[in-house]
Amino acid sequence: MSDVLAITEHRRGDLRDVSFELVTAGADLVGDTGGDLHLAVIGGDVDGFAEALSLDGVDTIHTVSEGDEFNHDVYVQAITALYEELDPTYILAGNTVNGLDYAPAVAEALDLPLVTDAVGLQNDGTLEVTREMYASKVESTVEVDADRAVVTIRPSEWDAAEAAGEPAVEAFDFTLDESRVRSRVTGFEEVGGGDVDISEADVLVSVGRGIEEEENIELVQNLADALGATLSSSRPIVDNGWLPKDRQVGQSGKVVTPKVYLAVGISGAVQHVAGMKGAETIIAINTDPDAPIFDIADYGIVGDLFDVVPELIERFE
């Protein structure tokens, strides 16, 4: 039997989606190993977060009341102390800005191997981690040659857990070494150009190189307005300077999971698909019936966007 400890994430008072995906990944893994799934909630509204994370498959939630926001030094100390107390076989974290901040330090402190950016996990006696390589064109399987490991999972690769459960909730107390806490979060400041957060949008209308000219983006913006949606784009649009970086969807942009993703003039390169394949419903408009975007689309329109988009705008207005 092998237990799993999953480290949940929150930011500015809200649990992040990857926390619920970690529950699914962790539950699947303990299904293979026959152990228990433990969740760690570190800082913030730990009681409220624990209530939201009381999900099927979770055995115990451990709350650590230290600070309000993510802090590298606090997380490393708390996770190390939890590991020594619980003795889990695997530690799971999100392959996120926060997760990639503390996971290497935790692995180093505990002398454990670290495997990042997992898109699949399996254990039939040995942990096997599926990762993608060469801009997601190739999948590789990493066999972990160790009894224990720290693994980060890619956001949006696992479904978010939803079914309610009744895990035990336990406050975890440990002695924080304040001398090793060398930074504190004092506030948040939005970066320039960050007028919207496309990762929070329910409906995205995304524009690609099929738009041809910068002045044509207004047409797609009008469609987004008619739908009450947010405008996003593929990388070429940002590289051309036609939209700011915060609008880019994809491997080098943002990972999004909207209820509806409407791709306009986007071919569906693997780098772009990696950032939006978690959408609930994908709709594509492209002149090429063999465009890769249609391989993952739920609905597709083969046609010239300059003919299709005006008709859609008229319908929705």
Side-chain angles (χ1 to χ4, degrees), residues 203-207 220-221 223-224 227 229-233 260-264:
V203 182
L204 283 174
V205 175
S206 207
V207 60
V220 183
Q221 178 67 69
L223 176 59
L227 291 170
T230 299
L231 182 68
S232 56
S233 77
V260 177
Y261 189 86
L262 174 54
V264 180

Side-chain angles (χ1 to χ4, degrees), residues 134-156:
Y134 304 112
S136 300
K137 295 177 181 177
V138 176
E139 279 194 352
S140 64
T141 300
V142 177
E143 188 173 289
V144 180
D145 186 21
D147 294 331
R148 298 165 185 265
V150 179
V151 181
T152 65
I153 69 166
R154 182 183 296 182
S156 302

Side-chain angles (χ1 to χ4, degrees), residues 32-293:
D32 290 340
T33 64
D36 289 341
L37 175 59
H38 299 263
L39 298 187
V41 179
I42 304 172
D45 179 13
V46 293
D47 293 332
F49 294 153
E51 182 177 355
L53 290 164
S54 292
L55 300 163
D56 186 41
V58 180
D59 293 287
T60 308
I61 299 174
H62 305 272
T63 60
V64 182
S65 298
E66 289 288 351
D68 294 321
E69 294 292 342
F70 171 75
N71 181 289
H72 169 91
D73 301 308
V74 172
Y75 267 58
V76 172
Q77 289 190 54
I79 296 166
T80 301
L82 278 164
Y83 179 86
E84 293 171 350
E85 175 74 18
L86 302 174
D87 194 33
T89 302
Y90 305 116
I91 298 175
L92 297 185
N95 198 71
T96 61
V97 171
N98 288 1
L100 292 174
D101 181 297
Y102 68 77
V106 168
E108 173 68 19
L110 298 174
D111 194 25
L112 297 175
L114 171 67
V115 185
T116 60
D117 201 24
V119 298
L121 298 172
Q122 184 174 346
N123 190 312
D124 292 323
T126 300
L127 179 63
E128 294 183 350
V129 181
T130 302
R131 304 178 73 244
E132 292 182 342
M133 304 172 64
Y134 304 112
S136 300
K137 295 177 181 177
V138 176
E139 279 194 352
S140 64
T141 300
V142 177
E143 188 173 289
V144 180
D145 186 21
D147 294 331
R148 298 165 185 265
V150 179
V151 181
T152 65
I153 69 166
R154 182 183 296 182
S156 302
E157 288 296 326
W158 278 264
D159 293 334
E162 296 180 347
E166 296 183 352
V169 179
E170 300 177 359
F172 180 74
D173 297 317
F174 75 105
T175 302
L176 180 69
D177 185 351
E178 293 285 354
S179 68
R180 292 166 54 199
V181 180
R182 291 160 291 184
S183 63
R184 295 287 184 188
V185 176
T186 59
F188 291 91
E189 182 176 341
E190 299 296 339
V191 298
D195 55 327
V196 295
D197 184 355
I198 59 173
S199 66
E200 299 295 327
D202 287 333
V203 182
L204 283 174
V205 175
S206 207
V207 60
R209 68 169 77 242
I211 200 66
E212 296 179 358
E213 301 290 343
E214 181 177 7
E215 54 265 28
N216 295 331
I217 289 179
E218 183 179 358
L219 176 65
V220 183
Q221 178 67 69
N222 291 340
L223 176 59
D225 292 342
L227 291 170
T230 299
L231 182 68
S232 56
S233 77
S234 60
R235 179 172 177 171
I237 301 300
V238 173
D239 287 347
N240 287 341
W242 297 351
L243 284 175
K245 176 72 174 177
D246 65 306
R247 301 283 183 144
Q248 182 181 330
V249 173
Q251 203 165 45
S252 57
K254 289 189 176 183
V255 174
V256 297
T257 55
K259 293 180 180 178
V260 177
Y261 189 86
L262 174 54
V264 180
I266 293 175
S267 63
V270 290
Q271 295 91 336
H272 184 77
V273 170
M276 46 69 73
K277 61 184 178 181
E280 291 183 20
T281 301
I282 298 171
I283 305 167
I285 302 171
N286 202 289
T287 55
D288 181 4
D290 297 319
I293 192 69

